[in-house]
Amino acid sequence: MDSLLQTVADVSKSVMPGTPEVSVTLLVKDRPTMMASTGRLATVLDERQYERDHGPCLHAARTGTVVEVADARLDPRWRDYLIRAVEHGALSSLSTPLRIDEEEDVTGAMNIYARDADAFDEHSRAVAERFAPYAAIAAGNVHAYQSARDKAENLELALESRAVIDQAKGVLVERYQLTPDRAFQLLARASMNSNRKVRDIADHLMRTGELLGAAPPGDVGRPGPGTVGGAPDGTHHS
């Protein structure tokens, strides 16, 4: 999918006038990511806009409108960015919005940076708009894959956390003759007292046999310092 997206950018570059460079930006919940670039010019100018949080690329992605800069030396918009664009040799640009998934707040833009002023005519604008749906599909597929992978990783971590917490509860149930609910309360209180996650408290208990930052089981529900490692009444046997 990454290769397909890069191919769309490369082909767009090959058919556009003005020896341009092309990039594709993905905007997920208003956070931009560069998904493809044909060269350093496009990369630098995209990143400059991400740093400033404005520019033609982000405006196209956020508003769903085509944004053209005919001459960066004269255009009054985004002056701090356009000054940098001129310094890098990009005098005109064309940013075409990508409609990907409005419900999930996922949009994007395909950006064409040309070295000549007034580089785009009606034909080149029409070509860019024809390429945009292909870039949108490819970018959307990449995002969907990454989201699915992240969810799978998060689910795996959640299952691992649940497993170690259940194991720690079992240890406390056996050690102090507690119910499972009260064993979890003890873990939760230890978590609050030590300012550590319940999973970390459970993991430490399973590795060392020590319950950090907890009151004796009889005091579950009330804060208390110390470590539980001995008898149910909180005393320790030698």
Side-chain angles (χ1 to χ4, degrees):
M1 290 180 285
D2 290 332
S3 176
L4 174 60
L5 192 55
Q6 185 63 47
T7 298
V8 172
D10 291 338
V11 173
S12 300
K13 172 182 177 177
S14 69
V15 300
M16 284 292 171
T19 59
E21 299 294 349
V22 178
S23 70
V24 177
T25 288
L26 188 68
L27 205 64
V28 180
K29 299 188 185 305
D30 209 41
R31 297 183 62 180
T33 302
M34 184 182 303
M35 304 298 290
S37 173
T38 63
R40 177 169 173 75
L41 178 65
T43 299
V44 168
L45 295 185
D46 270 18
E47 290 178 347
R48 180 68 174 181
Q49 294 177 72
Y50 302 165
E51 292 170 1
R52 296 289 182 174
D53 196 37
H54 68 194
C57 160
L58 296 180
H59 189 77
R62 286 167 173 163
T63 65
T65 58
V66 176
V67 179
E68 180 177 355
V69 175
D71 190 333
R73 297 167 297 187
L74 304 176
D75 197 308
R77 301 169 293 177
W78 317 296
R79 285 310 306 164
D80 57 332
Y81 157 72
L82 290 177
I83 290 172
R84 182 60 59 88
V86 172
E87 291 174 354
H88 282 83
L91 297 186
S92 58
S93 66
L94 184 66
S95 295
T96 305
L98 307 180
R99 295 171 177 84
I100 299 173
D101 191 336
E102 293 182 1
E103 290 185 1
E104 294 294 327
D105 198 13
V106 181
T107 61
M110 185 175 71
N111 312 294
I112 305 165
Y113 299 100
R115 292 173 172 82
D116 301 327
D118 301 305
F120 306 103
D121 56 17
E122 288 299 324
H123 175 69
S124 57
R125 295 186 195 101
V127 170
E129 291 187 12
R130 285 201 297 270
F131 271 101
Y134 295 102
I137 291 171
N141 286 339
V142 171
H143 171 68
Y145 170 76
Q146 291 175 340
S147 296
R149 184 183 61 189
D150 291 344
K151 288 178 181 177
E153 291 176 351
N154 289 337
L155 178 59
E156 184 177 358
L157 290 173
L159 291 173
E160 290 176 356
S161 295
R162 178 173 178 177
V164 73
I165 290 171
D166 284 345
Q167 291 168 5
K169 284 168 56 180
V171 169
L172 296 177
V173 166
E174 182 178 3
R175 183 182 293 179
Y176 301 120
Q177 302 302 304
L178 302 175
T179 64
D181 284 346
R182 285 183 58 83
F184 183 78
Q185 291 174 28
L186 189 56
L187 288 172
R189 175 59 61 187
S191 170
M192 294 176 61
N193 288 346
S194 61
N195 195 28
R196 298 174 66 175
K197 294 179 180 178
V198 171
R199 187 212 181 280
D200 294 338
I201 296 294
D203 182 67
H204 184 84
L205 174 63
M206 295 307 300
R207 288 187 293 104
T208 69
E210 178 186 29
L211 183 59
L212 298 175
D219 293 331
V220 172
R222 300 196 302 272
T227 297
V228 175
D233 62 0
T235 61
H236 295 258
H237 296 295
S238 57

